[in-house]
Amino acid sequence: MSDNTNETLEHEHLAHLAALKATYDTILAAHGFDGALFYSGHPQRHFADDQHASFATYGHFMHWVPLAGLDHSWLLVRPGQAPRLQLHAPADFWHLGIELPDAAWVETFDITRVATPTPPRLPAGRFAVLGDVDAETVRALGAELNPPALTQALDEARVRKSDYEIACLREANRRAGLGHRAAREAFFDGGAELDIQLAYLGASRQRESDLPYQSIVGVNRHAAVLHYQHYDLSPATSHHSLLIDAGHRYRGYSADITRTWAGGDASDAFAGLIEGVTSIQHDLIETMAPGVDYPALHARMHQGLGALLGELGIIRCSATAAVQQGITRAFCPHGLGHLLGLQVHDVAGRQASDGTALPPPAEHPALRLTRTLETGMVVTMEPGCYVIPMLLNPLRDAPAGSDIDWAAVEALAPHGGVRIEDNVLVTGKGAENLTPII
Ligand code: GLY
Ligand code: MN
Ligand code: MN
């Protein structure tokens, strides 16, 4: 980012905090609270060990404080007062203490440094404590722990992004894009999954523990494992495909991008599948606008997948019949996407703006976003198509099985599958793709 861009971001950040303060004042008053105390959280220690697991700061804490990874710290928000940030600053010569940036937002907080991780004393009044805090601590404070209605209202306040948040998501995408280009190169150079992951981390300039989620780097059949969690150390002996789903976190805000590449051993059908899934995604993004029902887009993805499988000769029935018989669900068991922000699967995806629960349809239980699109939402658009034997094999003996060309499925299987995932902002007029061309 240039100095000018940085200055704009700092201004946007101050505007974000001012708007957040007004929103919180309204919500706290509406729910009858004199204030809310947020706990950052802290990393879990491995059992009987002195090592800690990786850690993510609580989303509502980061909505105010742009320090991903901050732990053992507290934030008190009260109407009419500057937010009070209590940083954990123990006398510790093993670790580097917190160094706050030279940024305008720091001046808008009342900041104290405390040697112990204990919460601050609360003034008289009705207070909520939000975060991963034990009940005894909250009882001693005389406060209420994670009140559901207040939590739901604060979740809702994260759904429509401010200009500052959109700038952060855009920057996270730009950095992730650099990593994706390097990952593609490492794959075409014959790298193993681990080499691809290291190329991704290097080019996107981040350590593994700072990732918003563990990169999914699936070569060949591993591309069909939706959350594949390993990295082969040796290059694969065949070069069918790479599916890489990898992100970046910028000031707490996450990118979540997937690309799929056809290797030198890929079939024409697989290249056609990548092209077709990409085109389904582009067409759906074109139709995004405020007021559009996201589950309807998910349904259109299935219709598009049915048509594509037919065009590629993988099925012999109509798109509608493929959807009705559950064939497309077996090829794509996940949802079209989700809200994106301080969490990769961001809060409030399955509730209406008034808090009414919006559960996913019974036949699409993995759909994480069941709302109508609104200006300022940032969502992922991630159609996919995979050969997952556990889901497809049961169709072999079902009536739908006769509509599937099993030889074509077998020929596709060594490629694993395809997912194409971009991060898209809903604007007043339509949509803007925040993910750079990769
Ligand atoms: N990377 C996880 C997801 O795409 O939802
Ligand atoms: Mn995603
Ligand atoms: Mn993803």
Side-chain angles (χ1 to χ4, degrees), residues 6 11 37 41 45 78 220 234 316 323 348 367 391 394-395 432:
N6 249 330
H11 276 112
L37 178 66
R45 198 158 48 79
R78 280 176 299 170
N220 298 339
S234 309
R316 304 184 193 93
V323 173
L367 183 58
L391 300 180
L395 293 181
E432 182 194 343

mmCIF file of all heavy atoms in Angstrom, residues 6 11 37 41 45 78 220 234 316 323 348 367 391 394-395 432:
data_model
loop_
_atom_site.group_PDB
_atom_site.id
_atom_site.type_symbol
_atom_site.label_atom_id
_atom_site.label_comp_id
_atom_site.label_asym_id
_atom_site.label_seq_id
_atom_site.Cartn_x
_atom_site.Cartn_y
_atom_site.Cartn_z
ATOM 1 N N ASN A 6 -2.493 4.480 2.578
ATOM 2 C CA ASN A 6 -2.473 4.274 4.018
ATOM 3 C C ASN A 6 -3.221 5.370 4.740
ATOM 4 O O ASN A 6 -3.963 5.107 5.686
ATOM 5 C CB ASN A 6 -1.009 4.273 4.504
ATOM 6 C CG ASN A 6 -0.632 2.871 4.943
ATOM 7 O OD1 ASN A 6 -1.493 2.138 5.385
ATOM 8 N ND2 ASN A 6 0.625 2.528 4.802
ATOM 9 N N HIS A 11 -8.115 7.198 7.655
ATOM 10 C CA HIS A 11 -9.345 8.004 7.753
ATOM 11 C C HIS A 11 -10.576 7.113 7.775
ATOM 12 O O HIS A 11 -11.510 7.328 8.550
ATOM 13 C CB HIS A 11 -9.441 8.976 6.561
ATOM 14 C CG HIS A 11 -8.658 10.227 6.803
ATOM 15 N ND1 HIS A 11 -7.519 10.555 6.091
ATOM 16 C CD2 HIS A 11 -8.826 11.207 7.705
ATOM 17 C CE1 HIS A 11 -7.042 11.687 6.551
ATOM 18 N NE2 HIS A 11 -7.805 12.112 7.516
ATOM 19 N N LEU A 37 -18.276 -5.777 27.942
ATOM 20 C CA LEU A 37 -16.851 -6.058 28.119
ATOM 21 C C LEU A 37 -16.491 -7.257 27.238
ATOM 22 O O LEU A 37 -17.111 -8.315 27.357
ATOM 23 C CB LEU A 37 -16.575 -6.388 29.595
ATOM 24 C CG LEU A 37 -15.136 -6.767 29.959
ATOM 25 C CD1 LEU A 37 -14.191 -5.572 29.773
ATOM 26 C CD2 LEU A 37 -15.072 -7.268 31.410
ATOM 27 N N GLY A 41 -9.762 -13.441 24.230
ATOM 28 C CA GLY A 41 -9.465 -14.869 24.188
ATOM 29 C C GLY A 41 -7.968 -15.082 24.379
ATOM 30 O O GLY A 41 -7.181 -14.124 24.463
ATOM 31 N N ARG A 45 -3.328 -24.209 25.797
ATOM 32 C CA ARG A 45 -2.057 -24.921 25.999
ATOM 33 C C ARG A 45 -2.290 -26.409 25.753
ATOM 34 O O ARG A 45 -3.318 -26.950 26.156
ATOM 35 C CB ARG A 45 -1.566 -24.685 27.432
ATOM 36 C CG ARG A 45 -0.104 -24.984 27.631
ATOM 37 C CD ARG A 45 0.442 -24.245 28.874
ATOM 38 N NE ARG A 45 -0.384 -24.377 30.050
ATOM 39 C CZ ARG A 45 -0.400 -25.450 30.832
ATOM 40 N NH1 ARG A 45 0.365 -26.504 30.554
ATOM 41 N NH2 ARG A 45 -1.176 -25.489 31.896
ATOM 42 N N ARG A 78 -18.679 1.504 26.459
ATOM 43 C CA ARG A 78 -19.808 2.128 27.173
ATOM 44 C C ARG A 78 -20.290 3.336 26.392
ATOM 45 O O ARG A 78 -19.461 4.105 25.880
ATOM 46 C CB ARG A 78 -19.364 2.606 28.564
ATOM 47 C CG ARG A 78 -19.314 1.509 29.591
ATOM 48 C CD ARG A 78 -18.774 2.029 30.907
ATOM 49 N NE ARG A 78 -17.418 2.537 30.779
ATOM 50 C CZ ARG A 78 -16.766 3.224 31.717
ATOM 51 N NH1 ARG A 78 -17.370 3.500 32.844
ATOM 52 N NH2 ARG A 78 -15.536 3.628 31.525
ATOM 53 N N ASN A 220 -4.168 -33.798 -7.421
ATOM 54 C CA ASN A 220 -4.826 -35.000 -7.948
ATOM 55 C C ASN A 220 -6.044 -35.382 -7.094
ATOM 56 O O ASN A 220 -6.862 -34.516 -6.808
ATOM 57 C CB ASN A 220 -3.819 -36.146 -8.077
ATOM 58 C CG ASN A 220 -2.699 -35.778 -9.063
ATOM 59 O OD1 ASN A 220 -2.874 -34.895 -9.902
ATOM 60 N ND2 ASN A 220 -1.547 -36.430 -8.952
ATOM 61 N N SER A 234 6.534 -35.283 -1.062
ATOM 62 C CA SER A 234 7.127 -35.653 -2.360
ATOM 63 C C SER A 234 6.166 -35.276 -3.476
ATOM 64 O O SER A 234 4.944 -35.393 -3.321
ATOM 65 C CB SER A 234 7.348 -37.163 -2.437
ATOM 66 O OG SER A 234 8.046 -37.593 -1.309
ATOM 67 N N ARG A 316 -26.558 -38.348 -18.328
ATOM 68 C CA ARG A 316 -27.366 -38.463 -19.568
ATOM 69 C C ARG A 316 -28.768 -37.901 -19.382
ATOM 70 O O ARG A 316 -29.619 -38.112 -20.230
ATOM 71 C CB ARG A 316 -27.495 -39.937 -19.976
ATOM 72 C CG ARG A 316 -26.185 -40.652 -20.147
ATOM 73 C CD ARG A 316 -26.437 -42.080 -20.647
ATOM 74 N NE ARG A 316 -25.239 -42.884 -20.520
ATOM 75 C CZ ARG A 316 -24.946 -43.649 -19.462
ATOM 76 N NH1 ARG A 316 -25.787 -43.730 -18.444
ATOM 77 N NH2 ARG A 316 -23.819 -44.336 -19.435
ATOM 78 N N VAL A 323 -30.777 -32.480 -10.743
ATOM 79 C CA VAL A 323 -30.975 -31.805 -9.455
ATOM 80 C C VAL A 323 -31.997 -32.590 -8.633
ATOM 81 O O VAL A 323 -31.777 -32.889 -7.452
ATOM 82 C CB VAL A 323 -31.429 -30.343 -9.671
ATOM 83 C CG1 VAL A 323 -31.797 -29.694 -8.333
ATOM 84 C CG2 VAL A 323 -30.330 -29.539 -10.376
ATOM 85 N N ALA A 348 -23.780 -14.520 11.468
ATOM 86 C CA ALA A 348 -25.110 -14.042 11.061
ATOM 87 C C ALA A 348 -25.524 -14.480 9.660
ATOM 88 O O ALA A 348 -26.441 -13.903 9.081
ATOM 89 C CB ALA A 348 -25.209 -12.511 11.169
ATOM 90 N N LEU A 367 -25.343 -25.298 3.498
ATOM 91 C CA LEU A 367 -25.424 -23.909 3.018
ATOM 92 C C LEU A 367 -25.314 -22.954 4.213
ATOM 93 O O LEU A 367 -26.144 -22.964 5.110
ATOM 94 C CB LEU A 367 -26.741 -23.687 2.265
ATOM 95 C CG LEU A 367 -26.938 -22.291 1.646
ATOM 96 C CD1 LEU A 367 -25.825 -21.948 0.656
ATOM 97 C CD2 LEU A 367 -28.297 -22.192 0.959
ATOM 98 N N LEU A 391 -19.912 -40.254 -1.721
ATOM 99 C CA LEU A 391 -21.215 -39.687 -2.087
ATOM 100 C C LEU A 391 -21.751 -40.251 -3.390
ATOM 101 O O LEU A 391 -22.969 -40.380 -3.560
ATOM 102 C CB LEU A 391 -21.099 -38.161 -2.198
ATOM 103 C CG LEU A 391 -20.648 -37.440 -0.917
ATOM 104 C CD1 LEU A 391 -20.579 -35.942 -1.146
ATOM 105 C CD2 LEU A 391 -21.594 -37.753 0.245
ATOM 106 N N PRO A 394 -23.120 -44.603 -3.599
ATOM 107 C CA PRO A 394 -24.498 -45.024 -3.288
ATOM 108 C C PRO A 394 -25.471 -44.819 -4.448
ATOM 109 O O PRO A 394 -26.537 -45.442 -4.475
ATOM 110 C CB PRO A 394 -24.881 -44.134 -2.096
ATOM 111 C CG PRO A 394 -23.579 -43.739 -1.483
ATOM 112 C CD PRO A 394 -22.601 -43.658 -2.607
ATOM 113 N N LEU A 395 -25.114 -43.958 -5.424
ATOM 114 C CA LEU A 395 -26.023 -43.733 -6.559
ATOM 115 C C LEU A 395 -25.943 -44.866 -7.585
ATOM 116 O O LEU A 395 -26.819 -44.988 -8.450
ATOM 117 C CB LEU A 395 -25.693 -42.401 -7.252
ATOM 118 C CG LEU A 395 -25.956 -41.118 -6.460
ATOM 119 C CD1 LEU A 395 -25.605 -39.894 -7.296
ATOM 120 C CD2 LEU A 395 -27.412 -41.049 -6.021
ATOM 121 N N GLU A 432 -19.240 -6.295 -6.872
ATOM 122 C CA GLU A 432 -17.864 -6.046 -7.293
ATOM 123 C C GLU A 432 -16.994 -7.181 -6.775
ATOM 124 O O GLU A 432 -16.998 -7.481 -5.574
ATOM 125 C CB GLU A 432 -17.375 -4.711 -6.714
ATOM 126 C CG GLU A 432 -15.959 -4.386 -7.157
ATOM 127 C CD GLU A 432 -15.331 -3.258 -6.342
ATOM 128 O OE1 GLU A 432 -16.066 -2.507 -5.662
ATOM 129 O OE2 GLU A 432 -14.098 -3.158 -6.381
#
